[in-house]
Amino acid sequence: MSQNKVNVNTDYDLVCVGAGIMSATLALLVKLVKPELNILILERLGKAAQESSAAWNNAGTGHSALCELNYTPEKENSIDCSKAYKICNQFELSKQFWSFLVEENLIEDPKDFINPVPHHSWVTGQDNVAFLKKRFEALKDHFMFQGMEFTDALEKMKTWFPLITNNRGEDEVMAATRIERGAEINFGALTEKLFSILETKYNTPVYCNEEVLDIDPDETVEWSVEVKNTITGNKQFLDAKHVFIGAGGGSLLLLQKVEIEGKDGYGGFPVSGEWLVCKNEALIQQHLGKVYSKAGPNDPPMSTPHLDTRFIDGKRQLMFGPFAGFSPKFLKEGSSLDLFKSIKTDNIKPMLSAFWDNLPLTKYLIEQVTASHEDRMNDLRKFVKEAKSEDWEILVAGQRVQIIKKDEYEGGKLQFGTEVVRSKDGSITCLLGASPGASTATHVMLEVFEIAFPEVVNSKEGKEKLKKIVPIWKLELDSKIFNAQLEKSKKALKL
């Protein structure tokens, strides 16, 4: 699938930097709508999908707000559901895109990357139980969350997640919700499938071991992309009408070199991730589900603990986390100088401001970095009471960079979402941030597609093709439309 030599004699309509789920989704959407456009994907590593998109480097949760409590914050004794509706809609859009690929016989077996796994929220203590009950009442009658169940009965929870309820008594105050239609996704396998379609059907391969050093304005086309081969050291310049920077944590450093308005003031805070992975096959088979709980009162949203069933390379897995660590690298295979290189005169004030405003995050990271294996096991034992240290091992996962953004009132703010930074004319776009990331890739890349190629997206032909690929995009949803598409994707994706 990967190649190591760029065709230097070709001008490109679109160059995608980074071979992850975002670039794969964007390139394929563009090719499906306008196959004659010439696209190139460049990857610094020797293979696609090795950073944020790799299976072990993320939770594999189809983030649809079915169980993630931080998407439904409590405000003045009411539950704000707006973000939950938005994210649920965006994930269903991704499922529509994947369903279209299956129906068109471009993907043979969706089980290779997506499997049905129930999504649960589980909390302990009176205050948290009261919150979960309010959340359930706020969501249960909305068409996006039909089928959600709530219980505070131990016997019911034993049928949902026996591994967690083992050795618990009726005197323990806890509650849970469950929704059956949750999904577990191997984003690495999915990314490879999308790139395989691009190569075999649209003659659009990924060129690996090619590092983008700089992107400069060009007099004849929009951009000149400077590329270095990481094996030979050879450099070359490619012409591109449009550039998408989708290099995960590495996007910020490249964006800072690009001469566009609106890029100033962005900084990044790198956070590494770790999981406890179960080695005991009997335990793995006892648990089927994603079980999300609440982060500690002063802990960041990224620390939300969850016990997850995974399917990776055809094998069922069980993991718990995430645990955070600190590394100055912006990518798992990055440089220890990344953080220091990212500090510029235009972002030092926002970064310092965000640091002082987020001292609990710093304290949390220090605690995480200094934690021992037994400390992590004690966190797991809040979920699985009898967890044995010898049954679990630590696995170092991916590196994510949280956005620090200049703020008029606070100086700088740490953001926990994703953001598209763009030039005024839309000829260059850059994706910053992490969560919910891959699950909403289709929505985010449709936004980029429209920014970069409005004449394609808004043409009669473009609208007709996109209507077939993603029918609910830009639609005002109601229960009839949503449920019809839900059934369609359920059938296509074998969910």
Side-chain angles (χ1 to χ4, degrees):
M1 182 176 71
S2 60
Q3 298 187 22
N4 292 318
K5 186 179 179 183
V6 177
N7 183 350
V8 295
N9 300 315
T10 308
D11 294 339
Y12 295 94
D13 295 296
L14 172 65
V15 168
C16 297
V17 183
I21 185 66
M22 295 297 176
S23 289
T25 300
L26 175 62
L28 188 50
L29 281 168
V30 173
K31 278 292 188 177
L32 286 166
V33 176
K34 196 78 171 174
E36 60 267 33
L37 291 179
N38 199 9
I39 301 175
L40 176 68
I41 297 111
L42 299 171
E43 170 56 45
R44 183 176 62 95
L45 300 179
K47 189 181 176 186
Q50 295 304 292
E51 286 282 353
S52 299
S53 300
W56 286 111
N57 288 353
N58 56 68
T61 302
H63 286 295
S64 45
L66 303 181
C67 61
E68 304 92 333
L69 301 178
N70 54 306
Y71 295 151
T72 49
E74 188 170 11
K75 296 182 178 179
E76 298 178 358
N77 295 318
S78 66
I79 304 295
D80 182 358
C81 299
S82 56
K83 190 171 185 180
Y85 300 148
K86 179 180 175 183
I87 289 173
C88 186
N89 183 10
Q90 291 177 0
F91 179 64
E92 291 305 323
L93 195 67
S94 288
K95 282 168 62 181
Q96 281 201 336
F97 176 44
W98 307 332
S99 298
F100 172 82
L101 299 177
V102 172
E103 289 165 349
E104 293 294 309
N105 297 314
L106 294 171
I107 289 179
E108 186 175 339
D109 187 1
K111 290 286 186 186
D112 292 340
F113 72 90
I114 188 168
N115 286 277
V117 171
H119 283 199
H120 307 85
S121 302
W122 172 71
V123 297
T124 59
Q126 292 285 3
D127 290 345
N128 289 334
V129 168
F131 162 75
L132 190 64
K133 180 70 173 174
K134 278 186 201 172
R135 178 182 185 271
F136 170 70
E137 292 295 337
L139 290 173
K140 68 181 178 67
D141 293 327
H142 193 280
F143 60 83
M144 290 186 184
F145 293 86
Q146 286 177 0
M148 180 180 278
E149 298 177 72
F150 172 90
T151 188
D152 54 9
L154 178 61
E155 289 306 311
K156 185 70 172 177
M157 281 181 261
K158 283 182 177 179
T159 67
W160 290 356
F161 35 74
L163 198 59
I164 292 174
T165 50
N166 284 345
N167 301 301
R168 293 187 186 273
E170 296 286 352
D171 57 330
E172 292 193 51
V173 178
M174 56 185 180
T177 59
R178 173 184 173 97
I179 194 159
E180 290 281 351
R181 74 163 197 267
E184 139 66 22
I185 302 166
N186 183 332
F187 285 108
L190 172 61
T191 302
E192 290 182 1
K193 284 183 180 295
L194 301 187
F195 280 132
S196 177
I197 297 168
L198 281 162
E199 182 179 28
T200 58
K201 302 292 184 182
Y202 296 102
N203 193 29
T204 306
V206 177
Y207 289 95
C208 293
N209 301 307
E210 298 288 349
E211 181 177 8
V212 175
L213 302 178
D214 203 357
I215 303 168
D216 288 316
D218 188 277
E219 291 180 1
T220 56
V221 292
E222 291 289 349
W223 302 99
S224 175
V225 182
E226 183 182 359
V227 184
K228 182 183 81 171
N229 185 282
T230 58
I231 296 175
T232 65
N234 293 337
K235 293 182 182 180
Q236 56 186 308
F237 291 87
L238 306 172
D239 292 332
K241 294 175 183 174
H242 298 85
V243 178
F244 168 65
I245 305 173
S251 294
L252 176 63
L253 292 171
L254 193 52
L255 175 66
Q256 289 177 332
K257 297 179 181 181
V258 182
E259 298 173 26
I260 60 170
E261 291 183 30
K263 65 160 189 176
D264 292 343
Y266 282 96
F269 190 90
V271 179
S272 58
E274 296 180 342
W275 301 100
L276 280 173
V277 178
C278 187
K279 300 185 290 181
N280 186 323
E281 192 62 35
L283 291 179
I284 294 170
Q285 296 304 319
Q286 281 184 49
H287 184 82
L288 180 65
K290 307 274 185 180
V291 182
Y292 276 59
S293 194
K294 283 192 84 171
N298 295 314
D299 294 342
M302 71 180 79
S303 68
T304 300
H306 42 102
L307 184 67
D308 283 10
T309 295
R310 300 291 314 273
F311 290 92
I312 298 177
D313 300 328
K315 191 173 186 300
R316 186 160 151 182
Q317 306 280 359
L318 180 61
M319 56 199 279
F320 175 78
F323 300 98
F326 176 77
S327 165
K329 294 181 179 182
F330 278 9
L331 290 163
K332 194 173 180 179
E333 300 293 330
S335 164
S336 295
L337 297 176
D338 286 345
L339 176 59
F340 308 103
K341 287 178 181 178
S342 75
I343 299 172
K344 310 290 182 184
T345 54
D346 62 78
N347 70 9
I348 191 165
K349 184 178 177 182
M351 289 182 74
L352 287 173
S353 176
F355 172 79
W356 286 114
D357 289 342
N358 290 275
L359 287 177
L361 172 60
T362 306
K363 178 176 177 289
Y364 165 78
L365 287 174
I366 291 170
E367 291 171 350
Q368 291 279 292
V369 169
T370 57
S372 65
H373 181 69
E374 199 57 26
D375 291 330
R376 292 182 171 90
M377 287 302 302
N378 285 332
D379 284 335
L380 170 59
R381 289 179 186 120
K382 295 172 186 175
F383 275 65
V384 183
K385 278 197 165 186
E386 302 300 317
K388 297 176 182 177
S389 299
E390 60 267 26
D391 288 336
W392 300 78
E393 62 185 350
I394 201 74
L395 181 140
V396 178
Q399 192 82 352
R400 63 170 61 181
V401 177
Q402 306 296 154
I403 306 169
I404 294 174
K405 188 177 180 181
K406 187 162 57 178
D407 184 83
E408 183 179 350
Y409 302 103
E410 299 179 35
K413 290 178 72 174
L414 188 65
Q415 296 190 184
F416 292 98
T418 52
E419 185 161 338
V420 176
V421 183
R422 53 170 290 181
S423 61
K424 273 188 176 179
D425 63 358
S427 61
I428 191 160
T429 47
C430 175
L431 185 70
L432 299 177
S435 182
S439 296
T440 61
T442 302
H443 168 81
V444 179
M445 291 302 99
L446 282 166
E447 179 185 339
V448 170
F449 189 5
E450 188 169 33
I451 289 169
F453 300 98
E455 72 285 356
V456 175
V457 172
N458 296 315
S459 68
K460 183 182 177 183
E461 182 186 18
K463 287 179 179 177
E464 288 175 353
K465 286 186 176 180
L466 285 169
K467 188 72 175 173
K468 291 180 181 178
I469 299 167
V470 279
I472 66 171
W473 188 44
K474 293 190 174 183
L475 270 187
E476 191 70 37
L477 293 183
D478 58 27
S479 59
K480 185 178 179 181
I481 296 171
F482 185 82
N483 288 329
Q485 292 303 319
L486 204 61
E487 282 301 310
K488 188 178 178 185
S489 61
K490 180 180 175 181
K491 182 180 179 182
L493 298 175
K494 301 180 182 178
L495 297 173

